Amino acid sequence: MPVEIPKDTWSGSVCTVTLGATTAAGGTRSHTVTVGGHKTLPFMHFEQPMAHRPVIALEIRDRRPDDWSPLLLEVWGNAVDDPASWANAGEKAGADLLVLSLSLTGADGHPTTPEAAVAAVKAVLKASGLPLLVFAPGQADLDNQLLVPVAEATKGERLVLGICEDKNYRTIVATAMANGHLISTRTPMDVNLAKQLNILVRDMGIPADRILMDPTTGALGYGIEYGYSVMERLRLAALQGDGNTQSPMIVTPGAEAWKAKEAKVGQDVPAAWGDWRERAITWETLTAVALIESGADIVVLRHPESLRRVRVASDDLMAVPETI
Amino acid sequence: MALTGIQIYKLLPKTNCKDCGLPTCLAFAMKLAAKQMELSACPHVNSDAKSQLADAAEPPVRLVTLKADGHEVKSGNETVLFRHEKTFFNKPGLFIRVQDDEAADGIRAKVSAADTYTVRYVGMDLTLDGFAVQSASSDPARFADAVSAVRAISKRPLILIARDPAIMATGLRAIDGESPLIYCADAGNWQAMADLAKQHRTALAVCSDKLDELADLTGKLKTKGVADLVLDPATRRLGTSLIRQTQIRRLALKKDFRPLGYPIIAFPCDASDPTQESVLAAQAIAKYAGFIVLNHFAPEMIYPLLVLRENIFTDPQKPIQVQPGLYEINDPKPGDPVLVTTNFSITYFSVANEVEGAGLPAWLLIVDAEGMSVLTAWAAGKFDAERIAKAVKETGVARKVARKRIVLPGHVAVLSGELEEELPDWEIRVGPREAVDLPVFMKQAL
Ligand code: SF4
């Protein structure tokens, strides 16, 4: 019985966004990374080849994090005290991209200074040729104070500056446009909020090929189903031709999973949770892979073993024989 | 897919004899379409029309149920490709596989541990569903022994795995009277497997890596009288599984293609890289498997998978909520703090479990935020100073505490000013963003 397999055809597609600029293009990156461009749902190779594979970013910090799980601090060792060494270690662990998260305060407890932020960004750019995303601490005034000098000091690098939220996006978008960078927007797990913010930033004139969108996710056990379904809906809307949902999607399963008690702590937890390290890595890996299958173009991770496993999974998702 | 009244009318005798109690065949057809009457009310329909009407009444993905001793695994009856379109209904069964060439002690240890495994998640006790016993030795007696050994320990549903019908027969005899799922029929053995399935009234899995052949086989098996079928499209990798399982679900739902309208069985147990077993199983949960066979029993892998299954199969139209109100944790006294959060059940349980686990007494004030988490509710305007103040008043918590101290989740620190205005005689404190950091905050800062 010959079975005719139904194929979806779509009128819309996801924008193509290139992160990083090489020397030839006015930056210093050893290579660039391109995401998006999809004309169909994730990994439906039998309809359309995937334009670009999902990529894995590793999150590093400008200083030793105060609230990270001991498992993460242990695996990165002394590198967590020096962003440049951490960037190197991340590149060696196989990351496609680096995310440098700036801390709210320095080790001395005072707010992070613009000088310190610029120094950390420059150190990371020098240590690794990977394209870079720089995420500010998430407090409007401080974010603007830090990101503007960072953007100016790295003009032309095609960094991704984050995070643009509905209450604070103007300064970041303006400095990204003035200095040849990209932006990442973030909205709390809601299709309409994601669309509205996209309209707001596009109204400022930033071209679509410089926008990433973070629809936000919860970790496994902590609301992943909301993030998962919002991403599926956004991707369907993008393919149906809704121009405000066509930015490639970035999510942070690493940060979310490692906030969950199941990953973060190993003591005073139920015996039925099993081995701590393996559970934590599984928590991060499963959160990430589920989101990749629902449409994530960039996942930001924290542990090198999760990174390795997500890489194996995404390679497998891409390696589909033509006969299928 | 349900037929319309007109489509049903075309299959009726069109004599308007009124024996069904209605004036015309068309009126009867309309009643049938609206499911207000049964086809049996018309004594004159021919058998061909009967079977066509019965087929049309079937769900697009057949419901297959495995039962054993009070345990039940139901798969199928799904109606959507994406959970946001409605919901996914039947959680896939998670089975642990043992092979008959494993040492008997090892089998016993693994099955005992997996059978009694239970883990608590947001107030529910989650467990595995059953076991799969696989013939790896090609020795019928060993297979029967392994089946008996598993059954001696666990009363949960079983899947028997053997391609040789003679071996399968010995396995079935070992649990005579039961109806496990048997795996599998293929192009070579399907007739003998169909006989076994009929004899023991079991569901039968069908395997082929070609959809054409798979559809052929299910058609033949159905004609032979085996109704409860399960599909194995024989993909064992992430990329190919995602595509095949999507294609099968689409054919069943969008094309009403009956030969592939059955639940799917997935085998993450065959992962070539053991660290990918959980990844394959997670994909199977989210993307359309009805039965999932795992190799390892390890709590650190099972717990995340059980949680993912709960999450994906949550009804998106009904966020899981707890009752708003005042909850007492560890027998609080008037001097203990009031912690406030939303009635999203994951939020509630994260906070309650942390505080309870740390042995700290507290009053937990749960605000009606329409079942949303703190950040989502705040963004949607469902968790603000006004709603918190309302909950304070409605629960009468002020009369229970001597020291009026209320702790806000760190994510909504911005609400503290407005809350001070709403609750002028209360001390407003900003707690941590995450529940996991509450015990330290309560010990050090309160
Ligand atoms: S009994 Fe059957 S044939 Fe007679 S009127 Fe009713 S539907 Fe028509």
Side-chain angles (χ1 to χ4, degrees):
Chain A
M1 186 185 309
V3 176
E4 196 186 323
I5 293 171
K7 292 187 180 179
D8 285 341
T9 50
W10 304 97
S11 57
S13 61
V14 176
C15 299
T16 301
V17 173
T18 297
L19 291 76
T22 58
T23 322
T28 62
R29 304 300 76 211
S30 60
H31 62 282
T32 62
V33 168
T34 301
V35 294
H38 313 296
K39 294 185 167 64
T40 190
L41 290 168
F43 311 107
M44 295 294 110
H45 305 277
F46 69 101
E47 294 173 336
Q48 293 273 351
M50 279 279 275
H52 296 284
R53 66 187 176 90
V55 302
I56 307 172
L58 183 86
E59 180 181 2
I60 63 174
R61 309 290 296 236
D62 52 349
R63 68 172 176 87
R64 175 178 283 266
D66 298 323
D67 58 352
W68 279 29
S69 170
L71 285 178
L72 291 168
L73 297 177
E74 189 191 331
V75 73
W76 293 113
N78 291 333
V80 300
D81 291 311
D82 171 38
S85 329
W86 202 347
N88 261 321
E91 186 168 356
K92 281 204 192 79
D96 299 306
L97 302 167
L98 295 171
V99 170
L100 176 64
S101 292
L102 301 173
S103 306
L104 195 53
T105 61
D108 59 3
H110 294 296
T112 301
T113 63
E115 296 73 30
V118 170
V121 171
K122 286 197 152 172
V124 168
L125 287 173
K126 195 163 169 227
S128 164
L130 297 180
L132 178 67
L133 301 84
V134 179
F135 287 175
Q139 292 208 348
D141 292 343
L142 183 63
D143 286 9
N144 296 342
Q145 281 167 33
L146 300 181
L147 286 177
V148 172
V150 163
E152 286 167 354
T154 57
K155 195 171 167 98
E157 286 281 12
R158 286 184 82 92
L159 304 187
V160 177
L161 304 178
I163 295 145
C164 295
E165 298 183 274
D166 63 343
K167 291 189 178 65
N168 188 49
Y169 64 90
R170 293 181 169 278
T171 308
I172 303 172
V173 173
T175 197
M177 285 163 69
N179 295 291
H181 298 306
L182 287 60
I183 57 155
S184 183
T185 64
R186 180 179 290 171
T187 44
M189 291 200 266
D190 184 285
V191 171
N192 289 324
L193 294 176
K195 287 165 70 165
Q196 281 163 21
L197 184 56
N198 196 274
I199 294 171
L200 293 174
V201 299
R202 296 249 309 263
D203 273 353
M204 288 189 65
I206 188 162
D209 68 355
R210 287 180 183 259
I211 305 172
L212 299 175
M213 99 180 140
D214 177 355
T216 314
T217 185
L220 176 60
Y222 296 85
I224 189 177
E225 67 272 32
Y226 294 89
Y228 180 89
S229 285
V230 165
M231 290 176 71
E232 285 196 331
R233 290 172 59 196
L234 283 168
R235 184 51 46 91
L236 286 165
L239 296 172
Q240 281 155 5
D242 180 341
N244 296 312
T245 58
Q246 290 172 336
S247 300
M249 292 191 279
I250 176 172
V251 268
T252 54
E256 294 301 325
W258 286 98
K259 277 197 302 208
K261 184 173 189 175
E262 282 82 350
K264 193 171 183 180
V265 298
Q267 280 174 343
D268 300 324
V269 299
W273 286 13
D275 178 74
W276 179 23
R277 178 182 175 276
E278 181 60 26
R279 175 181 77 240
I281 289 165
T282 304
W283 220 262
E284 185 177 28
T285 302
L286 295 195
T287 305
V289 176
L291 296 171
I292 285 176
E293 291 190 349
S294 69
D297 294 288
I298 303 175
V299 290
V300 187
L301 302 181
R302 287 187 171 174
H303 195 287
E305 173 61 12
S306 316
L307 193 158
R308 188 194 69 77
R309 292 186 191 183
V310 175
R311 168 77 67 218
V312 172
S314 78
D315 285 351
D316 201 2
L317 284 163
M318 291 302 290
V320 172
E322 284 184 11
T323 50
I324 282 279
Chain B
M1 220 169 281
L3 297 181
T4 64
I6 299 296
Q7 285 167 323
I8 295 173
Y9 172 70
K10 288 183 182 152
L11 299 168
L12 295 177
K14 302 189 203 87
T15 55
N16 300 337
C17 76
K18 303 188 177 59
D19 287 353
C20 59
L22 289 166
T24 62
C25 292
L26 182 60
F28 180 67
M30 292 301 172
K31 289 279 179 196
L32 274 187
K35 296 199 164 57
Q36 289 163 347
M37 285 186 81
E38 297 283 328
L39 182 63
S40 54
C42 166
H44 312 295
V45 255
N46 66 35
S47 60
D48 187 40
K50 249 185 212 159
S51 73
Q52 279 191 54
L53 286 165
D55 270 2
E58 288 285 316
V61 182
R62 186 181 172 83
L63 183 71
V64 174
T65 307
L66 293 192
K67 285 187 187 161
D69 191 56
H71 298 282
E72 189 176 80
V73 180
K74 289 162 93 173
S75 292
N77 250 358
E78 300 297 339
T79 58
V80 291
L81 281 157
F82 302 100
R83 56 185 292 285
H84 68 260
E85 294 174 319
K86 185 165 180 65
T87 187
F88 292 169
F89 291 100
N90 289 308
K91 293 171 197 168
L94 290 173
F95 292 76
I96 301 289
R97 177 184 69 179
V98 298
Q99 308 200 66
D100 68 355
D101 59 352
E102 293 172 44
D105 290 355
I107 293 180
R108 274 195 294 272
K110 183 166 160 181
V111 174
S112 305
D115 186 56
T116 54
Y117 180 77
T118 159
V119 63
R120 221 168 158 72
Y121 170 69
V122 295
M124 295 175 289
D125 290 314
L126 308 180
T127 62
L128 289 161
D129 296 286
F131 296 89
V133 188
Q134 180 164 14
S135 162
S137 66
S138 301
D139 173 355
R142 277 198 84 151
F143 185 56
D145 286 349
V147 172
S148 302
V150 172
R151 182 43 94 219
I153 297 167
S154 173
K155 303 209 176 318
R156 295 177 190 277
L158 298 182
I159 300 172
L160 304 193
I161 303 178
R163 293 251 176 169
D164 178 343
I167 296 178
M168 183 62 82
T170 62
L172 283 165
R173 273 198 297 276
I175 47 167
D176 204 22
E178 291 199 42
S179 299
L181 167 62
I182 63 173
Y183 178 97
C184 66
D186 58 29
N189 71 4
W190 66 273
Q191 285 173 314
M193 283 292 181
D195 290 339
L196 286 173
K198 279 163 67 179
Q199 185 189 340
H200 295 267
R201 291 199 206 84
T202 71
L204 173 59
V206 189
C207 177
S208 170
D209 62 352
K210 294 178 195 70
L211 288 185
D212 297 357
E213 189 175 78
L214 204 54
D216 263 342
L217 280 168
T218 61
K220 287 183 195 155
L221 288 162
K222 191 177 169 194
T223 311
K224 219 165 180 283
V226 188
D228 285 336
L229 298 174
V230 171
L231 307 174
D232 174 17
T235 51
R236 295 292 181 267
R237 313 202 51 153
L238 279 175
T240 46
S241 299
L242 182 64
I243 287 180
R244 271 291 184 260
Q245 296 184 188
T246 304
Q247 290 171 338
I248 290 172
R249 177 70 74 92
R250 278 192 198 169
L251 280 160
L253 296 188
K254 291 183 157 181
K255 298 288 167 195
D256 198 24
F257 186 67
R258 295 309 168 113
L260 296 179
Y262 298 98
I264 296 168
I265 185 167
F267 291 91
C269 54
D270 292 338
S272 50
D273 171 351
T275 66
Q276 292 293 305
E277 184 176 7
S278 58
V279 177
L280 282 155
Q283 181 190 70
I285 288 169
K287 292 293 178 187
Y288 315 139
F291 301 92
I292 299 173
V293 184
L294 301 164
N295 188 28
H296 296 92
F297 171 73
E300 58 271 16
M301 175 177 89
I302 300 300
Y303 174 45
L305 291 174
L306 290 171
V307 170
L308 181 69
R309 186 173 69 168
E310 290 304 315
N311 293 166
I312 294 292
F313 281 76
T314 299
D315 183 345
Q317 264 77 34
K318 282 187 246 150
I320 35 173
Q321 319 188 359
V322 293
Q323 194 66 28
L326 188 66
Y327 291 78
E328 301 184 3
I329 311 273
N330 293 327
D331 206 5
K333 305 278 177 302
D336 292 319
V338 178
L339 311 177
V340 62
T341 192
T342 73
N343 69 325
F344 177 41
S345 73
I346 293 171
T347 304
Y348 165 80
F349 280 104
S350 309
V351 172
N353 288 346
E354 276 316 320
V355 179
E356 198 176 315
L360 298 165
W363 305 90
L364 183 51
L365 181 68
I366 298 301
V367 176
D368 183 359
E370 297 179 18
M372 290 185 234
S373 67
V374 170
L375 263 182
T376 318
W378 172 73
K382 307 293 183 196
F383 186 54
D384 53 19
E386 206 178 312
R387 282 193 185 229
I388 296 170
K390 191 164 159 244
V392 166
K393 279 168 199 136
E394 283 175 0
T395 56
V397 59
R399 291 193 299 278
K400 303 205 173 182
V401 294
R403 189 168 166 198
K404 292 181 177 170
R405 243 185 336 171
I406 193 163
V407 181
L408 275 178
H411 278 298
V412 290
V414 291
L415 294 180
S416 50
E418 289 164 43
L419 196 57
E420 270 167 18
E421 284 171 28
E422 295 272 353
L423 300 171
D425 49 346
W426 284 75
E427 177 191 348
I428 314 292
R429 300 288 300 273
V430 175
R433 289 168 168 233
E434 302 304 329
V436 65
D437 301 318
L438 259 174
V440 172
F441 170 83
M442 290 172 73
K443 282 180 207 153
Q444 292 177 357
L446 288 185

